[in-house]
Amino acid sequence: MSLIPKKGTVYVVDDDEAVRDSLQWLLEGKDYRVKCFDSAESFLSRFDPREVACLIADIRMEGMSGLELQDRLLERRSPLPVVFITGHGDVPMAVTTMKKGAMDFIEKPFKEEELLSLVERMLEQARNTFSQHQEQASRDALLSRLTTRESQVLERIVAGRLNKQIADDLGISIKTVEAHRANIMEKLNANTVADLLKIALGAHSKTA
């Protein structure tokens, strides 16, 4: 039996050792994997962007602040869900972080149940994002199998063009268009045009 927690990883960034220890004790007690850092700089140099994880960070720290940390993550286009710990006087600052995409903020002293609820929400978002990235990678891998001409034909199929129109667009025969369509269907493992559109359009066709 594996002893590795299955709920996901929670990064804790706070320059207060007592806060780090408290959060680690609380979260590990609920079967989360916890990685603590005493500064934003240390966290940025060591966190793994491929991990299903979330971040709890103090908004005021020595060196790089929580706000600056958030800006660095935004620059990296990191999808990491973030919650900030704030003091009473930091609420306006915390509102700013939410406008930039933070999921929420909690005031000190925080309630354990409130924090645990936020962590679960963040990890759920992280899991969904990871799944979407996996689907996108799979889709990109399939599409990369197409030749340049097949990609041009696919773009026009997606745009709703008929075979004759595609042939006119590309200066090729209708039979050649049909051959390309057959190759595209085979390479993308698509049985119907609907399947083809789902792969080509990705997430936008999930509800189709």
Side-chain angles (χ1 to χ4, degrees), residues 110-123:
F110 49 82
K111 297 176 182 176
E112 291 184 1
E113 290 305 314
E114 179 185 359
L115 176 66
L116 291 170
S117 175
L118 282 173
V119 165
E120 194 47 51
R121 277 172 47 207
M122 286 196 292
L123 285 172

Side-chain angles (χ1 to χ4, degrees), residues 8-22:
T9 297
V10 182
Y11 292 113
V12 175
V13 182
D14 199 307
D15 56 5
D16 185 329
E17 184 178 5
V19 172
R20 293 197 306 273
D21 289 347
S22 174

Side-chain angles (χ1 to χ4, degrees), residues 94-142:
V95 171
T96 299
T97 70
M98 291 188 68
K99 289 178 179 177
K100 290 183 178 181
M103 280 194 69
D104 212 332
F105 63 91
I106 49 176
E107 288 189 77
K108 301 174 186 175
F110 49 82
K111 297 176 182 176
E112 291 184 1
E113 290 305 314
E114 179 185 359
L115 176 66
L116 291 170
S117 175
L118 282 173
V119 165
E120 194 47 51
R121 277 172 47 207
M122 286 196 292
L123 285 172
E124 181 63 27
Q125 177 177 307
R127 284 188 284 268
N128 289 339
T129 300
F130 183 78
S131 175
Q132 289 167 10
H133 283 182
Q134 292 288 87
E135 289 176 12
Q136 182 68 39
S138 175
R139 170 177 167 261
D140 289 346
L142 284 174

Side-chain angles (χ1 to χ4, degrees), residues 5-7 16 18 26 31 33 35 40 54 92 102-103 118 137 140 153 162 164 167 179 183 188 194 201 206:
K6 299 178 180 179
K7 285 189 174 182
D16 185 329
L26 171 65
D31 204 27
R33 185 182 184 198
K35 295 182 180 180
C54 64
M103 280 194 69
L118 282 173
D140 289 346
V153 172
L162 302 175
K164 183 179 185 309
N183 287 339
L188 299 187
L201 298 175
K206 283 184 181 176

Side-chain angles (χ1 to χ4, degrees), residues 34-105:
V34 183
K35 295 182 180 180
C36 293
F37 300 87
D38 60 5
S39 71
E41 292 89 344
S42 175
F43 165 73
L44 284 172
S45 69
R46 294 169 60 190
F47 99 102
D48 185 351
R50 299 164 300 178
E51 197 166 21
V52 176
C54 64
L55 170 63
I56 301 172
D58 195 358
I59 208 162
R60 287 187 186 274
M61 293 183 283
E62 292 293 325
M64 188 186 298
S65 69
L67 275 172
E68 291 170 315
L69 171 57
Q70 184 183 29
D71 287 339
R72 296 292 172 84
L73 290 171
L74 289 172
E75 287 169 9
R76 296 184 183 189
R77 298 185 178 180
S78 169
L80 191 69
V82 184
V83 159
F84 285 99
I85 301 172
T86 71
H88 179 68
D90 298 330
V91 171
M93 200 185 304
V95 171
T96 299
T97 70
M98 291 188 68
K99 289 178 179 177
K100 290 183 178 181
M103 280 194 69
D104 212 332
F105 63 91

